[in-house]
Amino acid sequence: MDKYSYISNADVGYIDELYKSYQQDPSSVDESWQKFFEGYNFSRERFNGSAEDDAALDAAVNDGEIDAREAKTLRLIRNYRRRGHLESTTNPVRKRRDRNAQLGIEHFGLTEADLDAEFEAGKEIGIGKASLRKIIETLRNVYLGNVGFEYTYIRDREMMEWIKTKAETTFLTHTPTENEKKRILSKLNEAVVFENFLHTKYLGQKRFSLEGGETTIPALDGIITHASEHGTQEVMIGMAHRGRLNVLANIMGKTYEQIFNEFEGTAEPELAHGDGDVKYHLGYSSEITTASGNKVNVKLSPNPSHLEAVDPVVEGFVRAKADRQYENDYDKVLPILIHGDAALAGQGVVYEVAQMSQLDGYHTGGTIHFIINNQVGFTTDFDDARSSIYSSDVAKVIDSPVLHVNGDDPEAVLYCVKLAVEFRQKFHKDIFIDMVCYRRHGHNESDEPKFTQPSLYNIISKHPNPREVYNKKLIERGDVDAKLAQNMDKEFRGLLQDRLNMVKQNPLPYEYQPLELEWKDMRKSKPEDFDQSPETGIQQEAIDKIAKALTTLPKGFKPIKQIEKQFKLRKDMFFKQKQLNWAAAELMAYGSILLENKIVRIAGQDTERGTFSHRHAVIHDAESNEPYTNLNHIDKEQEQFRIYNSLLSEYGALGFEFGYAMANPNALVIWEAQFGDFANGAQVMIDQFITTSETKWRRMSGVVLLLPHGYEGQGPEHSNARPERFLQLSADYNIIVANITEPSNFFHALRRQLAWPFRKPLVVMSPKSLLRHPKVVSPVEEFTSGRFQEVLPDKVASPQKSVKKVLLCSGKIYYDLAEKREKDKRKDVAIIRIEQLHPFPEKQVTKELMKYKEAKIYWVQEEPENMGYWTYILRTYRQVEMEIISRKAAASPATGYGKMHAKEQEEILNKAFA
């Protein structure tokens, strides 16, 4: 017997009443019914309708309340909702592959004899009682047209119902106004004119044209216009190279003259004040007036050729704007990410960014993803580019709807973008628009696409562009539309001739926003800026306030015993010993900046407590698990401390922090790796954004990377943050690379980030064992005055003329050397610490070495000879002869055997003092 037969035999009306009671108050029904309804709700949310099919419909049929054919018709309707998109007419150039959508009436036990029978099921789609033929016709119009609605996997009932209602009501009645049609044609004209202009003037030059996907331009215009009507004041766009120049010209308002100069290579050198980048990587900002008369600030983020790398950067930028400029009102700032289909499916950072979207530390109010789906990646057909049916299937991970739409139907595209804006503003979630189009040329304009897709490109070569398709459609409609098309054709030809004649365009006026004005106050750094750091001490009064906050818990808060012990140690440090360890100094730096009403944002894996349990910036009540952040309780007027445990991501997570720092010059923005070599997973961000953005794209950033580093016998994956890589990337004062050994110096380094009149990324090889080393403490007076010290001189060796050896070093090895020197009672060996490696403090190092004119100089490091700092020192500091003391050159950063590690470390120390 069916184990659910008791449900089929029950009184459906009674069950319905019970369910209503359960929805109002679960405890009002018997526990067995509570469990049943919990399962029922789970099924509804997870499988969207299958619970109704399997239980409610069967029960109703068995009970005689619903005709069996009515139930079959309802199942037919639900299947159109679930699978109709598989047969929608979204591909403009080739027939869609059979995905076995199973929409035929025979799959539901219905026959042609039922087509003229009327069914109450018509009410389900808003047409009342209707014939099966009419129901199917309506379903086909909704779900098998030029828009494929994919949404039934969404588990939020309200969200799913909202999309369903939009699809089954507004889509069928959507007719653009005459002004909207004019706007569509105007933007299509501009898009096609631009491509024709470049194709005529610069035949064969790379431009990564938008031809075949020109509807992107009216689509973006529609998003910005509609968003402005829903309160949006700023839009941040991230996209790769395909169509970027067209977007710059026809959305951002960059003039043909500016773009022409870049093609000719005659752009003014002072505009670049760096090495620059190719024209289709550059960013741009403008203030545009939309079709509805609203002003919107629009930005296009600069990006490299690493596809999708810009995605987290855009999200971080938008979050920074929302935090500071828009007071957490995400409706006012909108991120738009434009993807290629192959990159969306193939690049892992897309998944990372999707997972970020609803997390507290990374939420940006929802992103509109627009896919220029030209059905080929460079030369790769989608059969070889992905396993999923759609490139947009990552949307299912976060329950985001997808609107698949035919790129040759700009009115359908306009409908989709308007729906996307409304969805985003209502639910603050991501939504994807998959515009299926084609690529008229090869990957670039000198490429021959028929090498790999001859049959597809035979079709494309004969296919009219979207403007011509839409023009023809308007003419066929007759009357107003036909006249409109004729006028637009005349305007099109005039516009093209004007551009070819280089008729002068006026750049759009631009008014700087508050955060941009703060950036304008920044100046480019000069070499002398790095000879000595600015003063960064704070008042004793500030120290006392921060100390009180860091050592006080709210009444009734019960931390675990280990935290109680930590708090006692913290209190003793501040008020008895008056010496601060690493964690106290770090938290003091953050607190001092918060008191200046500047943002401090730190994110990373396990950052709230710290991987090595040193920070404890957020603590939890032992009973309620409620968090408490001490640094949020220094002063009523302070800025709030923003600290987040990140998702297990490096690439996306670091990109987000870079974007945040790029938006706000007066925020201390920190990304902490769990172990320093985990930065390997974010190398694209380091190479393409952090170390090069100022010279390539004229964008400063003060982002800080904390990379735990040091040889303590933890094996090759947990020893080396690869300082040699950062030093190899160092030039032209582009980044600060430091390995700091004293808490007060770390305090000053963090404060220096916002004290300089410019911004530089800071990479810190941060400590592990030093976090609790008894000698790694700083007296409180070192925080009330002073500055960051690039070089720490020796204070032990004496007399200076008797010194035989000078050991130059950086980082944790200093304490091993100092301990060995003390143990051996050696006064003839000086140890000089270089705290900042780039920019190299040449003058300060030379000044210190001049004290020991008779001594032999060695560079000492824990890392193998081919890693660490040695090759950089050889390249950078050639004034003196020196030798290297280190581990031997190796392929792996460190041994995995504890005894071998100890032996190697001992050999370094013995050699240093031989």
Side-chain angles (χ1 to χ4, degrees), residues 14-32:
Y14 173 67
I15 293 175
D16 188 50
E17 289 301 317
L18 276 177
Y19 184 57
K20 287 176 181 175
S21 299
Y22 169 80
Q23 286 179 306
Q24 292 176 356
D25 178 11
S27 63
S28 66
V29 301
D30 184 78
E31 188 176 350
S32 60

Side-chain angles (χ1 to χ4, degrees), residues 849-865:
L849 290 179
M850 289 298 290
K851 297 175 183 176
Y852 313 103
K853 294 181 180 178
E854 304 302 319
K856 193 165 184 180
I857 302 166
Y858 295 86
W859 178 264
V860 187
Q861 64 179 40
E862 298 180 298
E863 301 81 3
E865 185 176 338

Side-chain angles (χ1 to χ4, degrees), residues 561-661:
K561 287 184 179 178
Q562 292 96 316
I563 292 296
E564 286 181 342
K565 183 180 177 184
Q566 289 283 335
F567 264 65
K568 184 180 184 307
L569 292 171
R570 198 184 271 181
K571 192 170 285 189
D572 288 347
M573 270 191 297
F574 278 110
F575 301 111
K576 289 184 180 178
Q577 295 132 10
K578 297 191 181 296
Q579 286 193 325
L580 306 187
N581 67 6
W582 196 274
E586 178 188 3
L587 294 171
M588 181 70 73
Y590 301 152
S592 68
I593 293 169
L594 295 171
L595 281 175
E596 294 167 5
N597 255 312
K598 293 174 181 174
I599 284 175
V600 177
R601 176 186 164 92
I602 174 169
Q605 293 154 22
D606 311 300
T607 287
E608 290 182 359
R609 74 156 216 207
T611 294
F612 309 103
S613 301
H614 79 288
R615 184 175 291 118
H616 296 295
V618 179
I619 55 176
H620 296 266
D621 188 284
E623 295 177 1
S624 69
N625 206 45
E626 282 298 306
Y628 182 76
T629 305
N630 295 80
L631 285 178
N632 281 337
H633 303 276
I634 308 169
D635 188 272
K636 290 180 181 178
E637 304 301 318
Q638 71 168 91
E639 180 59 72
Q640 291 297 290
F641 185 39
R642 292 163 166 85
I643 184 165
Y644 305 98
N645 287 335
S646 76
L647 72 168
L648 198 65
S649 155
E650 288 85 37
Y651 189 174
L654 178 55
F656 191 98
E657 303 314 323
F658 172 80
Y660 198 105

